[in-house]
Amino acid sequence: MMRKHSFIIGVLLMIASAGISTACTNEIQRPEVTDPLMPDKGPEGTESIGAASVKRTSVYHSGPNNQVYRIPSIVTAQDGSLLIFCEDRHNSWVDKSYTDIVCKRSTDNGETWSASTSITGSINSGEYAYMDPTPVVDANGKIIVFFTRWNKLNTDVRNNRAFMSFSIDNGVTWSIPEDVSDRILAEGMFSSGFGPGHGIRIKEGKYAGRLVVITRQHNGSSGSGYCIWSDDNGENWHCGVATQSGEAQIAESGKDKLHLNIRRGAYRYTASSSDGGNSWSTPLSDGALPIIEGGCEASVLGTGNDIVFYCGPAGGPASSGHDNRYGLKLFRSTTNGTHWSKNQVLYELASGYSDMTLLEDGSLAIVFEAGPEKGFIKSSNRTPGWMRLDLIILPSDLTDYNFWF
């Protein structure tokens, strides 16, 4: 046995000395990793923004006769004006009731607000629900807002139409809404919603300037998500490849990188795109984000330098009289939305749908559905003031890796 081992060792030594590799000639060798995928930036958030720098105001309030304002979205106009869009549900809090798209405008970073302007009131005498306002601002300052028209007497999705309105004076006046279904929907599909939230104009990379908006489309039996995109400031729109359906928002998450965050049941799913939103990776569940009983829309925003923010209710136990949409929580990722390294509760009571934008001075503005109790009231008997649309302004330092609460 010893003689056999010596023979084998001798053969191996002869092969090695002849310069012959004992590995397979077609073996794929893993290259050496010389640089980390993300550079080590050191400790995050070592400096505080200061609690006193956080401001919260109310913009819309629910009124008498069951009127309620829901589903907010927010953008910053080219002149720095702040615009908040939402649904004005005239006489019921219920989805697909008599609803118009309305907008308020602020020229002093949310300190004061204009009267509410109805964008769809002139074409709605009560038979329709215009829902899911989703605005985007082009390179010339034109503000385009998309929304879906539901027939409140017959809510079969096949009766729906996709509409669009625009403003060329920073949100002061709006065009008569037009039906754009044939211009933006995939073949054989019907509009079941946009966003909700805001669309984006890509800032860097080979798709810089592209407008990208997430839509929900349905064929009468099942739904899918599609991004529509335009490379000519909204003159022509293209419909991308189908992805997972659900209320969703898009964030620019780096050069030639987009992040998609999707509501899917009680969970959050994320996907990425490297071709300007035309196609997306397979959506994966993000277990680091809150699980909300019944689900809830949430918002995302990219602010540059690989930073992405997520905002939505943190949730918790529901009660017999209230749901578990409460505890508005802000998350921050410094790795393009792949990992959430910081989080902070901004409002502890009822919190629902939200949206975000950066102000002209770099401050982070968040609009969200808010209530005065821990969770929204389950009962259909809801008194005026049970829901508001509140605005939180956070200092620009928050978009810096070195700052946190």
Side-chain angles (χ1 to χ4, degrees):
M1 183 67 71
M2 181 68 72
R3 192 176 297 165
K4 182 178 180 181
H5 284 172
S6 300
F7 173 77
I8 292 172
I9 292 169
V11 171
L12 290 174
L13 289 172
M14 288 173 63
I15 292 173
S17 63
I20 302 172
S21 173
T22 57
C24 296
T25 57
N26 62 348
E27 182 180 355
I28 299 174
Q29 299 293 322
R30 178 178 177 179
E32 287 189 23
V33 178
T34 56
D35 295 305
L37 295 178
M38 294 297 292
D40 184 3
K41 301 177 183 178
E44 180 187 354
T46 55
E47 298 184 55
S48 173
I49 62 170
S53 61
V54 179
K55 301 177 182 178
R56 182 172 62 86
T57 57
S58 294
V59 182
Y60 278 97
H61 295 79
S62 58
N65 303 317
N66 291 315
Q67 182 187 35
V68 65
Y69 297 95
R70 286 210 57 203
I71 322 300
S73 57
I74 188 169
V75 293
T76 303
Q78 193 174 66
D79 70 345
S81 300
L82 191 59
L83 284 84
I84 288 179
F85 304 81
C86 64
E87 297 177 8
D88 178 357
R89 300 184 180 183
H90 294 284
N91 49 35
S92 174
W93 54 270
V94 177
D95 290 348
K96 305 178 184 69
S97 59
Y98 172 28
T99 302
D100 279 310
I101 303 300
V102 296
C103 176
K104 281 189 177 185
R105 180 171 179 262
S106 173
T107 57
D108 54 12
N109 289 338
E111 293 290 334
T112 60
W113 292 89
S114 69
S116 188
T117 297
S118 180
I119 296 174
T120 58
S122 64
I123 58 171
N124 189 9
S125 57
E127 67 271 41
Y128 297 117
Y130 289 93
M131 301 180 68
D132 290 339
T134 304
V136 63
V137 184
D138 78 9
N140 298 318
K142 180 170 68 174
I143 306 167
I144 303 168
V145 59
F146 292 96
F147 38 88
T148 294
R149 188 188 74 184
W150 293 77
N151 186 326
K152 75 180 187 69
L153 298 178
N154 184 349
T155 58
D156 187 319
V157 72
R158 291 170 293 185
N159 294 320
N160 288 3
R161 305 297 292 178
F163 275 74
M164 179 268 284
S165 177
F166 65 87
S167 172
I168 56 174
D169 55 11
N170 298 299
V172 177
T173 60
W174 293 89
S175 67
I176 297 173
E178 60 177 309
D179 188 329
V180 293
S181 303
D182 296 336
R183 292 170 51 191
I184 68 169
L185 299 178
E187 185 176 355
M189 303 299 282
F190 303 90
S191 179
S192 57
F194 292 88
H198 65 279
I200 66 168
R201 178 165 61 89
I202 296 176
K203 295 179 181 178
E204 60 177 333
K206 57 186 174 182
Y207 300 102
R210 173 175 289 186
L211 306 180
V212 188
V213 175
I214 185 70
T215 73
R216 303 192 304 281
Q217 301 184 29
H218 206 282
N219 63 11
S221 300
S222 61
S224 298
Y226 293 83
C227 276
I228 57 172
W229 52 270
S230 173
D231 286 332
D232 55 11
N233 290 318
E235 291 299 316
N236 296 283
W237 291 89
H238 308 271
C239 192
V241 179
T243 186
Q244 184 170 275
S245 184
E247 293 176 329
Q249 283 200 24
I250 307 165
E252 187 169 3
S253 55
K255 187 176 181 180
D256 297 323
K257 295 178 183 177
L258 299 182
H259 169 92
L260 184 66
N261 200 291
I262 309 166
R263 170 186 175 179
R264 187 70 172 173
Y267 301 90
R268 307 304 307 182
Y269 279 71
T270 61
S272 61
S273 173
S274 58
D275 60 6
N278 185 64
S279 64
W280 297 87
S281 64
T282 301
L284 299 174
S285 177
D286 189 339
L289 296 176
I291 298 171
I292 303 297
E293 179 184 322
C296 186
E297 181 266 6
S299 53
V300 289
L301 181 71
T303 60
N305 297 320
D306 303 319
I307 290 178
V308 175
F309 288 93
Y310 167 96
C311 190
S319 68
S320 59
H322 296 79
D323 65 20
N324 76 332
R325 290 183 178 180
Y326 58 83
L328 187 76
K329 199 169 190 178
L330 182 69
F331 290 74
R332 187 173 75 179
S333 169
T334 59
T335 56
N336 313 113
T338 60
H339 171 69
W340 305 99
S341 51
K342 293 288 185 181
N343 62 79
Q344 176 71 30
V345 173
L346 301 177
Y347 182 70
E348 294 183 351
L349 301 179
S351 311
Y353 284 42
S354 65
D355 195 17
M356 295 185 280
T357 188
L358 284 185
L359 302 186
E360 200 170 32
D361 66 0
S363 298
L364 177 63
I366 304 170
V367 62
F368 69 105
E369 297 174 340
E373 301 172 280
K374 195 169 185 179
F376 292 111
I377 302 169
K378 291 180 179 178
S379 169
S380 59
N381 182 21
R382 300 178 177 184
T383 58
W386 72 274
M387 180 179 282
R388 312 180 306 269
L389 297 184
D390 281 4
L391 177 73
I392 290 177
I393 304 290
L394 300 164
S396 60
D397 285 341
L398 205 63
T399 64
D400 186 316
Y401 180 91
N402 297 304
F403 285 85
W404 193 242
F405 290 86

